[in-house]
Amino acid sequence: MAKTKSEIHRDAKHAEIVEAARRLFIDAGYDQTSMSRIAEEAGVAPNTIYWYFADKDALLVAVLDSLLTAALKRFVAKAMRPPQEPALEADLCWLLNELDHLKTLIATVHARVSSSTAVHTWHGNFHRAFEAVLSARLAAYGVHASDLASASRVSMFVVEGIAAHPTSAKDRRALVKWLAATLDRGAF
Amino acid sequence: MAKTKSEIHRDAKHAEIVEAARRLFIDAGYDQTSMSRIAEEAGVAPNTIYWYFADKDALLVAVLDSLLTAALKRFVAKAMRPPQEPALEADLCWLLNELDHLKTLIATVHARVSSSTAVHTWHGNFHRAFEAVLSARLAAYGVHASDLASASRVSMFVVEGIAAHPTSAKDRRALVKWLAATLDRGAF
DNA sequence: ACCTGAACACCGTTCAAGT
DNA sequence: ACCTGAACACCGTTCAAGT
């Protein structure tokens, strides 16, 4: 279905607001970014944002979605290239790199899960989807089926922990090495 | 050194404010709790709090400290009793129980680490102290010295991850079992 | 349908003034 | 030294009014 001219304009405005919010949320932080600042950056009046989004949390969810689809695109591109050995370790490092500049946003999501139903449902969906992908990946590495759930969840927690806490490059390498080794050798 | 009457009064007022803040931060959440509400609960004028604490973050740090010393007291009491077998698993479960009603506060700390230097330094000190205790505990369980750092950090991240994410009792048990088994068998 | 100016209720914090 | 009433600058959000 072709889009009308006004629909195009609407989508452009929508994208412009999300882009401004993404930039500001990441650079300055969610709490430190006011709706007025986002509006200014997007070239609209502050209350215009409320025509496109129910509230600030809905805008946050839109930003998270845009980041997720962008990361997914990079992930697919990466999957096309020949894997780097050791593959599992490389995968975990790639994931950590992806999350590196999002640490403040991750913390924001966890903080708002309990007070915003929109963020809460997004967070639930994200973890379900992510653990499914991670499980498939780990299964390919030979992790036993009955342990996939625990294995993927532990991986997720360790990755999130590293991302959330200041960790020296050396410690980070040691942790990734340990996690990969544990999963590889079928400790489960 | 004996305390003067006014010092006693001062300490009482101080404690009363911290107690009110702790109750409200845990029950309603940090962001959802206004300074006015805390003041009301503590029976003072809103701006009186600023006589005792530099800002809301300083009050948060005071609450965290009060929670930490209380938990430490329970930990010592627990250490006096004969350990429950399997000991490592029991320790991790105890820790998870301690953190259970603090999940929102943990998320708040992680969210504010990047914007408040007071919270940032508290968080750093906490992790250093906690990993030292955990390392000693794991060393007693026979974890090799060279792997203590990674082992304690992974344990910390998994425990924090479980606390931060909705986890069924069954999944929680499975994760604790896995972590204990991995550490026990000297996978490191 | 889309956008705005003006307003609302509230927030953390400050300050001059009281005791 | 300790506490307060009143104010400040700002916040997310709403609403009536415009096109």
Side-chain angles (χ1 to χ4, degrees):
Chain A
M1 174 100 77
K3 288 181 179 175
T4 68
K5 202 180 272 185
S6 75
E7 274 174 335
I8 291 172
H9 175 259
R10 182 173 215 282
D11 290 355
K13 220 62 186 158
H14 183 101
E16 216 167 333
I17 294 170
V18 172
E19 202 180 320
R22 184 184 56 208
R23 212 168 36 238
L24 289 165
F25 285 169
I26 291 175
D27 290 349
Y30 180 82
D31 284 324
Q32 285 74 30
T33 301
S34 69
M35 295 296 265
S36 306
R37 186 78 185 78
I38 297 168
E40 189 184 350
E41 204 84 355
V44 295
N47 45 358
T48 299
I49 297 177
Y50 290 88
W51 180 259
Y52 292 90
F53 302 94
D55 50 28
K56 200 181 178 185
D57 284 307
L59 183 49
L60 173 60
V61 167
V63 167
L64 294 171
D65 274 332
S66 89
L67 287 168
L68 191 57
T69 61
L72 202 65
K73 216 174 262 179
R74 285 192 293 276
F75 178 76
V76 170
K78 187 183 95 77
M80 309 269 274
R81 295 196 300 273
Q84 211 174 343
E85 296 301 335
L88 181 48
E89 225 177 291
D91 273 9
L92 291 171
C93 281
W94 180 84
L95 192 55
L96 278 172
N97 265 349
E98 284 289 321
L99 295 179
D100 214 21
H101 66 293
L102 300 180
K103 43 174 64 183
T104 67
L105 217 40
I106 295 171
T108 301
V109 169
H110 287 150
R112 299 210 59 72
V113 154
S114 59
S115 55
S116 158
T117 63
V119 175
H120 183 266
T121 59
W122 185 90
H123 181 251
N125 290 336
F126 170 76
H127 272 284
R128 261 185 297 281
F130 195 87
E131 277 179 30
V133 172
L134 205 54
S135 282
R137 204 83 177 169
L138 290 175
Y141 288 126
V143 174
H144 193 278
S146 67
D147 301 316
L148 278 178
S150 287
S152 62
R153 193 157 299 186
V154 165
S155 305
M156 179 83 248
F157 289 164
V158 172
V159 167
E160 266 190 1
I162 294 175
H165 297 80
T167 313
S168 72
K170 194 175 149 247
D171 289 349
R172 179 183 283 220
R173 253 196 316 273
L175 286 168
V176 168
K177 250 191 163 46
W178 172 83
L179 185 60
T182 306
L183 297 172
D184 250 348
R185 96 168 57 118
F188 283 86
Chain B
M1 172 99 78
K3 289 182 178 176
T4 68
K5 203 181 273 185
S6 75
E7 275 175 333
I8 290 173
H9 175 259
R10 180 172 217 284
D11 290 355
K13 220 61 186 156
H14 188 278
E16 216 168 333
I17 293 171
V18 172
E19 202 180 320
R22 185 185 54 208
R23 213 168 36 238
L24 289 165
F25 285 170
I26 291 175
D27 291 349
Y30 179 81
D31 284 323
Q32 286 74 30
T33 301
S34 69
M35 295 296 267
S36 306
R37 186 80 184 77
I38 298 168
E40 189 184 350
E41 204 84 357
V44 295
N47 45 358
T48 298
I49 297 177
Y50 291 88
W51 180 260
Y52 292 90
F53 302 93
D55 52 27
K56 200 180 177 184
D57 283 308
L59 183 49
L60 173 60
V61 167
V63 166
L64 294 172
D65 274 332
S66 86
L67 287 168
L68 192 56
T69 61
L72 202 64
K73 218 174 262 178
R74 285 193 293 276
F75 179 76
V76 171
K78 186 184 97 74
M80 308 267 273
R81 295 196 301 272
Q84 211 175 342
E85 295 300 336
L88 180 49
E89 225 177 292
D91 273 9
L92 291 172
C93 280
W94 180 84
L95 191 56
L96 278 172
N97 265 349
E98 283 290 322
L99 295 180
D100 214 21
H101 66 292
L102 300 179
K103 42 175 65 185
T104 67
L105 218 40
I106 295 171
T108 300
V109 169
H110 287 150
R112 299 208 60 71
V113 154
S114 59
S115 55
S116 158
T117 64
V119 174
H120 183 266
T121 60
W122 185 89
H123 180 252
N125 289 338
F126 170 75
H127 273 283
R128 263 185 295 279
F130 194 89
E131 277 179 30
V133 173
L134 205 54
S135 282
R137 205 82 177 171
L138 290 175
Y141 288 126
V143 174
H144 193 277
S146 67
D147 302 315
L148 277 178
S150 286
S152 62
R153 192 156 297 185
V154 165
S155 304
M156 179 83 249
F157 288 164
V158 172
V159 167
E160 267 190 0
I162 294 175
H165 297 79
T167 314
S168 73
K170 195 176 148 245
D171 289 350
R172 179 184 283 221
R173 254 194 319 273
L175 286 168
V176 168
K177 249 193 164 49
W178 172 85
L179 185 60
T182 305
L183 296 172
D184 250 347
R185 96 169 57 122
F188 284 84

